[in-house]
Amino acid sequence: MRFTSLMPGALGVALLLSSCAPAATPAAAPASSAPQPAVATPAPGATAPAAPKPAATQPRRGGTLRIMTAGEPALWDPHQATSRNNEVWSFVTNTLVYVSDQTQEVQPVLATEWKYIDDKTLVVSLQRGVKFHNKSPVNSREMTATDVIYSLTRIRTGKPAPRSGQFAPVSEIKALDDYTIQVSLKEPFAPLVSYLGDSMNVIVPKEAIEKSGDFNRPEDAVGTGPFIMTSYTPDVGGKMLRNASYFVPGRPYVDSVEIIAVKDRAAMMGLYRTGNLDLGTGSRGALTGEEKANLQRTNPDIILVPQPTAYVYQLLLNLKKEPFTDVRVRKAFHLAIDRTATLQAVVGGSGDISGPLSPRLFPQVAIPTQQLLTMPGYRNPKDQDIAEAKRLLTEAGYPNGLAIKGEGTERVGILNLLPLEAAVSQLAKINVKMQIDVMDDTPFRKMEEDRTFLIRARGHAVSIEPDDILYTLYHTKGARNYGSFSDPEVDKLIEAQRRTLDATKRKEILLQAQQRILELVPRIAMFSGNDFAVVQPWLHNVEPGPRNYFGRTDVVWLGR
């Protein structure tokens, strides 16, 4: 059976399921000084609804929180993985700051405050007395600036380093003392503080990495987080226990966390129905629209949180391989794909047509869906686009069409296989015959890293910040620019919006970049889907979202 997996939803659309527990910030609000456009303001285009009223119940200590994993990813290491393995790292480790997916408020975590002393220098003050877990080789030693510098440097320069682009403008990170770091920039950089809150940019101890070689075995995980990993068995699951020495007094509220490996959708639905799975979010248990309706019929009290996906469903093309070296072929494919039909076939129509940036995630800076639907490749009916696609193929030297072989995997098949299957019949209308080589996830991802693939369905999730999406996927130096796309004009626009602190001017540049990308078709953007996070009615203080699957895990509590 295919395992369907979707990542969680829109910036500012995540539902905060809260109690009257204390606020999730462990320290006073941070100091601020201009310029700091990313410190306490939403990313361009982000929307933030009013927070729901808190429940009239005090937090309760104890119990076991049961979550799921969708099988073994190619990489677990938080600084190396392209998938967001938050079922481990959101519990075991911390980031410097936490960016709420609901409000976009930047909250202190390991950092107590941050301020720009000029437009290219950020000073970050750290919590004192924060201890790593009581596990070898750190054995409860204190976290200091040295650990922060090590972790950020590993994110910037490690191999692999999929989020290196988030810190490309950084020229130096140095310690001013044991509890203060200074980040120097080559140029002003609007998203910097937001990136410090990326859920995978966690702080880890150097000696633990050196002992194990990496953090690709969850049982090796060591951090400052609210829970301590005690055991993990691949394809079975693991256990985490409450960190009694956690730096926020009284937290976490939950005594333990159980990770359950669930590969079968029917089994997952059974766990929800019987109350044996407390929380599912994103690719760790979120539901499709059809599954949501089915679960509501049997469990009307269960809470289902709608969330647009944190990525755009796309067809990824290798621009170093024929026939995609020719922009005319790429444009022909772009014209042939029926986005509306694919949206219906893959997610039952539950989603929104999208360009390079999702209009649901970034309504103020993305090309609007209604505008896209008037454009070639997006519009219906398709007759005019099909005719133009055939003309382009003839002009490119393929008057009788061509035959190609794409790649897919059934792991997260709704993303990595189903859209490509839908494309087969659509491409046949322009005389393109496509076969699909369905393979295991590890070789599928290796072909991507090695740039040996040809065409595949993908939806690379990055930080919920338009800069990260554009730089990481479309800049010549982008860490996940797997198709080897390179255009000086696109690079110039992406770099310009990074330096632009004025929101209106930045929006203009972002729109120009998207239009240029659509003209050159390095990827075929299709749609962003909706999924539904699952929260059992006895679970409180949960904020499932696209950046932080499980929200702040130290404040979650069980009401039974």
Side-chain angles (χ1 to χ4, degrees), residues 77-394:
D77 192 304
H79 300 162
Q80 298 177 351
T82 55
S83 59
R84 291 189 173 271
N85 304 318
N86 292 148
E87 67 268 47
V88 171
W89 305 112
S90 290
F91 294 86
V92 173
T93 56
N94 293 114
T95 50
L96 289 174
V97 298
Y98 176 85
V99 184
S100 168
D101 282 325
Q102 183 202 24
T103 66
Q104 284 300 284
E105 177 191 6
V106 181
Q107 304 169 1
V109 185
L110 294 179
T112 59
E113 65 175 13
W114 49 93
K115 60 183 178 181
Y116 281 91
I117 58 175
D118 58 52
D119 64 359
K120 293 189 290 185
T121 310
L122 178 71
V123 174
V124 181
S125 299
L126 305 176
Q127 294 272 4
R128 295 171 182 256
V130 176
K131 295 182 178 180
F132 286 109
H133 296 157
N134 188 16
K135 290 178 65 174
S136 175
V138 288
N139 301 318
S140 297
R141 76 161 174 82
E142 187 181 18
M143 183 210 73
T144 67
T146 300
D147 299 298
V148 175
I149 294 171
Y150 170 76
S151 299
L152 296 180
T153 301
R154 190 170 186 259
I155 294 164
R156 292 171 59 211
T157 63
K159 296 187 183 303
R163 284 174 299 284
S164 59
Q166 294 180 351
F167 299 99
V170 172
S171 59
E172 182 185 27
I173 306 174
K174 68 179 181 180
L176 301 183
D177 56 46
D178 282 349
Y179 306 103
T180 313
I181 66 166
Q182 178 175 293
V183 183
S184 300
L185 301 169
K186 303 169 190 172
E187 58 192 10
F189 185 46
L192 177 59
V193 173
S194 179
Y195 287 151
L196 295 179
D198 186 303
S199 64
M200 297 296 278
N201 290 342
V202 297
I203 305 305
V204 299
K206 179 179 180 180
E207 61 266 44
I209 295 289
E210 290 179 338
K211 177 183 177 182
S212 57
D214 53 43
F215 268 178
N216 282 313
R217 299 195 322 154
E219 57 268 37
D220 293 332
V222 180
T224 59
F227 297 92
I228 301 172
M229 180 68 72
T230 57
S231 64
Y232 188 85
T233 302
D235 297 315
V236 175
K239 189 77 175 280
M240 294 176 275
L241 297 180
R242 181 178 187 271
N243 177 10
S245 299
Y246 192 53
F247 66 94
V248 183
R251 299 185 195 161
Y253 298 126
V254 174
D255 283 340
S256 62
V257 179
E258 181 181 0
I259 305 173
I260 305 168
V262 185
K263 294 185 179 181
D264 183 272
R265 299 300 284 186
M268 181 189 72
M269 294 293 284
L271 290 171
Y272 285 139
R273 287 193 170 99
T274 58
N276 290 308
L277 192 61
D278 299 310
L279 174 64
T281 174
S283 57
R284 276 61 176 171
L287 305 184
T288 64
E290 181 180 0
E291 290 168 333
K292 166 186 173 286
N294 290 336
L295 187 58
Q296 282 178 319
R297 281 192 286 269
T298 58
N299 297 64
D301 294 334
I302 207 161
I303 301 166
L304 297 161
V305 186
Q307 299 178 319
T309 53
Y311 50 77
V312 174
Y313 283 73
Q314 303 171 334
L315 297 183
L316 175 61
L317 313 175
N318 190 336
L319 275 58
K320 293 292 187 182
K321 283 194 168 188
E322 298 288 349
F324 299 123
T325 54
D326 192 323
V327 68
R328 294 170 296 186
V329 175
R330 303 199 301 270
K331 286 182 176 180
F333 277 53
H334 165 82
L335 291 168
I337 295 301
D338 188 330
R339 273 82 169 171
T340 302
T342 304
L343 175 64
Q344 182 64 40
V346 176
V347 295
S350 181
D352 298 271
I353 301 300
S354 179
L357 291 178
S358 166
R360 287 291 298 278
L361 293 177
F362 308 108
Q364 294 177 12
V365 299
I367 300 172
T369 293
Q370 290 306 311
Q371 180 180 339
L372 289 167
L373 289 172
T374 67
M375 297 167 61
Y378 288 91
R379 62 193 176 187
N380 274 298
K382 297 291 293 180
D383 297 356
Q384 184 178 349
D385 287 349
I386 294 298
E388 175 63 9
K390 289 180 177 179
R391 187 194 70 78
L392 286 169
L393 285 182
T394 298

Side-chain angles (χ1 to χ4, degrees), residues 239-556:
K239 189 77 175 280
M240 294 176 275
L241 297 180
R242 181 178 187 271
N243 177 10
S245 299
Y246 192 53
F247 66 94
V248 183
R251 299 185 195 161
Y253 298 126
V254 174
D255 283 340
S256 62
V257 179
E258 181 181 0
I259 305 173
I260 305 168
V262 185
K263 294 185 179 181
D264 183 272
R265 299 300 284 186
M268 181 189 72
M269 294 293 284
L271 290 171
Y272 285 139
R273 287 193 170 99
T274 58
N276 290 308
L277 192 61
D278 299 310
L279 174 64
T281 174
S283 57
R284 276 61 176 171
L287 305 184
T288 64
E290 181 180 0
E291 290 168 333
K292 166 186 173 286
N294 290 336
L295 187 58
Q296 282 178 319
R297 281 192 286 269
T298 58
N299 297 64
D301 294 334
I302 207 161
I303 301 166
L304 297 161
V305 186
Q307 299 178 319
T309 53
Y311 50 77
V312 174
Y313 283 73
Q314 303 171 334
L315 297 183
L316 175 61
L317 313 175
N318 190 336
L319 275 58
K320 293 292 187 182
K321 283 194 168 188
E322 298 288 349
F324 299 123
T325 54
D326 192 323
V327 68
R328 294 170 296 186
V329 175
R330 303 199 301 270
K331 286 182 176 180
F333 277 53
H334 165 82
L335 291 168
I337 295 301
D338 188 330
R339 273 82 169 171
T340 302
T342 304
L343 175 64
Q344 182 64 40
V346 176
V347 295
S350 181
D352 298 271
I353 301 300
S354 179
L357 291 178
S358 166
R360 287 291 298 278
L361 293 177
F362 308 108
Q364 294 177 12
V365 299
I367 300 172
T369 293
Q370 290 306 311
Q371 180 180 339
L372 289 167
L373 289 172
T374 67
M375 297 167 61
Y378 288 91
R379 62 193 176 187
N380 274 298
K382 297 291 293 180
D383 297 356
Q384 184 178 349
D385 287 349
I386 294 298
E388 175 63 9
K390 289 180 177 179
R391 187 194 70 78
L392 286 169
L393 285 182
T394 298
E395 186 179 291
Y398 302 100
N400 300 316
L402 66 155
I404 61 173
K405 181 181 284 188
E407 312 89 20
T409 179
E410 291 191 342
R411 185 176 189 272
V412 196
I414 196 169
L415 173 64
N416 298 325
L417 182 58
L418 294 188
L420 195 63
E421 290 180 338
V424 171
S425 60
Q426 297 167 16
L427 292 173
K429 294 178 181 179
I430 60 170
N431 300 318
V432 173
K433 298 179 180 178
M434 181 168 65
Q435 295 180 329
I436 303 175
D437 183 8
V438 180
M439 60 188 69
D440 290 339
D441 186 58
T442 298
F444 178 80
R445 291 181 182 271
K446 189 175 189 307
M447 288 183 71
E448 202 163 274
E449 293 288 346
D450 295 343
R451 275 60 167 178
T452 57
F453 69 93
L454 181 63
I455 178 174
R456 52 185 44 197
R458 294 294 277 130
H460 299 110
V462 290
S463 177
I464 307 305
E465 158 61 47
D467 169 75
D468 197 23
I469 294 170
L470 294 181
Y471 190 94
T472 303
L473 303 186
Y474 296 103
H475 193 279
T476 299
K477 296 180 181 179
R480 303 183 75 181
N481 180 5
Y482 298 120
S484 301
F485 172 63
S486 181
D487 177 66
E489 184 176 340
V490 169
D491 287 352
K492 182 179 179 180
L493 289 167
I494 292 173
E495 291 163 7
Q497 62 82 28
R498 302 188 119 190
R499 298 189 297 267
T500 303
L501 305 183
D502 181 274
T504 301
K505 293 179 180 178
R506 189 180 180 207
K507 173 184 176 178
E508 294 173 0
I509 300 170
L510 287 166
L511 287 170
Q512 291 175 43
Q514 293 168 79
Q515 291 285 1
R516 178 66 175 171
I517 289 166
L518 286 176
E519 291 172 10
L520 298 179
V521 200
R523 300 171 178 233
I524 299 174
M526 295 183 289
F527 62 90
S528 58
N530 285 327
D531 62 8
F532 298 88
V534 182
V535 182
Q536 295 287 4
W538 52 81
L539 191 62
H540 301 271
N541 239 27
V542 181
E543 186 191 12
R547 184 194 299 260
N548 308 286
Y549 281 6
F550 301 98
R552 292 200 70 155
T553 59
D554 60 337
V555 301
V556 175

